[in-house]
Every structure is written in C-alpha cells, then in structure tokens.
Amino acid sequence: ENPIGTGGMNGFAHSGNIAHWRNIEFNYFYHRSESEVAIHKALLKINYEISKEKGSEHSFVFSPLSVFVGLKRKRVETDFLVISHDGIFIIEVDGDSHREKSHFEEEERLRPFRNLGVDVYRIKPNLSNPEWAEKAVRDFLKFASVRGRR
C-alpha cells in the first residue's frame, strides 16, 4: 500500500511527479490531467454500452496509470493499459503531462512495450469538442479491432 493510503501503484511511477499530488481523482483512481479523466469516463461508458448491446463477454478491462518495470529497473507508467479480445494495448493521452518530453523520449519510454508486440495508441485531446473523449475511445476500439490478436 502506498504512503497516501490508496492501494496499488496507480500514479506512482515518477517520484517527482506523483499523480496524487495533483488531486485529480475519478472512480478511486488518480490522474495527472482532466483529459485522462475524460478518457477514463469514456472507457467506462463505452464498455458499459458494449456489454449491454453484445453481452459482458465482449467487454474489455483497463487500468489507469499502470506502473511497470523492465530490464533497466526504471519504473514506466502508461496512461491506460487496455486488455480486450483484440489484444493488449496502451493508450497515451498527449496532454500537459507529456509536453516536457521530446518525441524521442516518449518513444524510448514505450519501446519495451512495442518490442513485446503491444500497440501504443496516442490520443490528442480536442478540448473544443465536448465529445472528443468518446470519439477518441471509439476510434481506438476500431484501431484495436483492425490490429487484432497477432
């Protein structure tokens, strides 16, 4: 259990940028931006719709701000890990928390996942459209169905 009292490592990948310090919480998970919260809400809503229309066996599971460790013993956090019948995917929300990193740094951070065949899907928020997150999640699910299990 982490020192703040919540279970798990959600949001604890970066010692100097702990998600809990931002106090952006939804569904008992901490996030670093409101854009991540919007994607979280859209994932829940669309997953429920899929379950209602097709049955729960067609739904997916996801984890916000999952923390992983690889060969270099460096913690790596993804915005969302999604596991569906189509495979395992990472969703990265390219918002404020990614601005201080170069494209090369972002690609290097996610290389271990790509080396293992995990597709990374990047979402750029469009805050001028109130339904951007739902559209982004639906577009992601189309991408996932095309990529499918390899």
Side-chain angles (χ1 to χ4, degrees), residues 1-13 18-21 23-31 64-65 67 77:
E1 193 162 321
N2 69 49
I4 298 177
T6 58
M9 292 304 295
N10 161 259
F12 274 86
I18 297 174
H20 299 70
W21 293 349
N23 207 24
I24 302 172
E25 181 184 0
F26 173 73
N27 196 29
Y28 304 104
F29 288 95
Y30 287 92
H31 295 281
L65 298 183
V67 180
E77 183 178 87

Side-chain angles (χ1 to χ4, degrees), residues 85-129:
H85 290 288
D86 295 315
I88 300 172
F89 302 89
I90 290 172
I91 295 176
E92 287 292 307
V93 183
D94 292 337
D96 294 341
S97 64
H98 292 269
R99 287 191 181 151
E100 62 274 0
K101 297 176 191 142
S102 71
H103 177 74
F104 176 78
E105 289 171 315
E106 275 293 293
E107 289 303 309
E108 188 62 29
R109 180 177 72 85
L110 299 169
R111 183 181 315 264
F113 300 101
R114 286 197 170 103
N115 288 345
L116 292 167
V118 177
D119 283 312
V120 177
Y121 187 84
R122 302 196 85 84
I123 294 175
K124 188 165 183 82
N126 177 3
L127 303 179
S128 64
N129 177 359

Side-chain angles (χ1 to χ4, degrees), residues 29 34 37 46 68 87 120 135:
F29 288 95
E34 292 296 336
V37 171
I46 292 167
F68 299 88
V120 177
K135 180 182 180 333

